[in-house]
Amino acid sequence: MVSLSWRTAVTTAAAAFASVASAQTWTACNPTQRTDCPPNTALGMAIDVDFTQGAVNSFNPYGGTPSYSRNDGVSFTVAKSGDSPQLTSIFYIMFGRVEITMKAAPGAGIVSSVVLQSDDLDEIDFEWLGDDNTYVQTNFFFQGKTATYDRGQYNPAHNSQGQFIKYTIDWTSEKISWYVGGTLVRVLTVNDAGGEYPQSPMQVKFGAWSGGDSANSPGTIQWAHGPTDYSQGPFSMTVKSVMVSDYSTGKSYRYGDTSGTWQSIIAEGGKVNGNLGKAGTVTVTASAVAATNTGSAGGSVPVGGIGSASGDASGSNGGSGSSTHGSIPEGWVMKPDGKIVPVGAASAMARPPQGLLVATSLVTVALAAFVGCLA
């Protein structure tokens, strides 16, 4: 067995209360503040992970232990204060598409999250609140800036807790599109973002946490529609599958300077946008009615996404504010199903061993002879 070595960098985010004018967010190595940050491992391809087949080593568990089922896939269960199970990709994408088929967790104060987040704290989110089975919140952040809380929107997602729905984030250098079950619910263009457009390499994270935990700030509890009553649990978010397509190519992504702009990103061994136009398109079945801005809802979507109930909104004590750096070991490759295997194993797994081929041929001959005798 070959063990992968991970270097964990912890970031934190302040509570998302609508009246708060500013907050501080940290990262162990922020490329907009330092020039010696390690490069980000690039996906550089598309993978389609079926969690009903079990875990894959391209996603690292964090904040708890997800459980797996042949019927439903991977579950993220919040049963007590401090639970915030999630999976975090060891790879990054530099523009791309994420499609996740899932059920959100029920429960007042419980939050299900799908987060794309970069080392310089750019972020794109889906968030589901457990006391609302009809809407999903969409949000974005740029370099961790939280001077205003007018970026979030409530978008229709009927019966999000009772059925598996495919949610899609399609992110390019020009716009971000959010889809719910094939319905386009929101589009954000570069111009719409007013100079604060997410545009640096991002990890993919998803899981559940308790925004309504008493350890959180009043603003976070309010936003999550808490408080959380754990006696009504446990509360589980379930993910059947995830497809991730990187619109760029290469082995790793490196910040060329401290600007954090996409034009400054260097794709080592490849090209930024090198896969754009080759990864297929999103099938749109409808466009949704105008969404409601979260700014009027009392409390706002917090930066950082998946939080830790023992800390503050979005992980001030190790929630999704954490950035897990991993790498694909030398001599190993990523397979299209999201598994990392030794070079040569990918092609070997695609065909049966030679001995099995011989045995199969002998069985075929024997069966043919037996059928001939019966005739």
Side-chain angles (χ1 to χ4, degrees), residues 47-56 58-59 91 99 206 239-244 334-339:
I47 61 173
D48 195 347
V49 180
D50 179 2
F51 287 112
T52 67
Q53 301 302 305
V56 293
S58 54
F59 284 89
F91 58 80
E99 298 177 356
F206 44 93
V239 175
K240 182 165 285 186
S241 63
V242 64
M243 190 285 296
V244 184
M334 179 83 74
K335 289 176 58 190
D337 62 0
K339 294 179 181 177

Side-chain angles (χ1 to χ4, degrees), residues 183-314:
T183 298
L184 178 63
V185 297
R186 183 181 183 184
V187 176
L188 175 81
T189 66
V190 171
N191 291 336
D192 294 336
E196 296 190 350
Y197 185 78
Q199 55 192 284
S200 52
M202 296 200 193
Q203 286 180 292
V204 180
K205 313 177 183 186
F206 44 93
W209 58 290
S210 177
D213 191 89
S214 60
N216 287 335
S217 73
T220 300
I221 295 171
Q222 180 186 8
W223 165 77
H225 297 181
T228 299
D229 181 357
Y230 292 102
S231 70
Q232 300 299 309
F235 312 101
S236 295
M237 166 190 175
T238 307
V239 175
K240 182 165 285 186
S241 63
V242 64
M243 190 285 296
V244 184
S245 180
D246 192 347
Y247 286 169
S248 299
T249 58
K251 186 174 182 179
S252 61
Y253 301 126
R254 180 168 55 85
Y255 289 73
D257 56 36
T258 58
S259 68
T261 63
W262 74 265
Q263 294 91 342
S264 71
I265 303 300
I266 299 169
E268 297 176 328
K271 179 182 179 183
V272 172
N273 285 327
N275 276 334
L276 187 62
K278 301 176 184 178
T281 57
V282 179
T283 301
V284 183
T285 58
S287 292
V289 296
T292 303
N293 192 289
T294 58
S296 63
S300 180
V301 182
V303 64
I306 308 167
S308 169
S310 61
D312 208 14
S314 26

Side-chain angles (χ1 to χ4, degrees), residues 151-173:
R151 302 175 179 86
Q153 288 186 3
Y154 287 95
N155 306 103
H158 178 68
N159 197 23
S160 60
Q161 298 167 14
Q163 64 178 331
F164 283 103
I165 299 174
K166 180 188 288 185
Y167 300 89
T168 302
I169 295 172
D170 192 66
W171 169 49
T172 72
S173 60

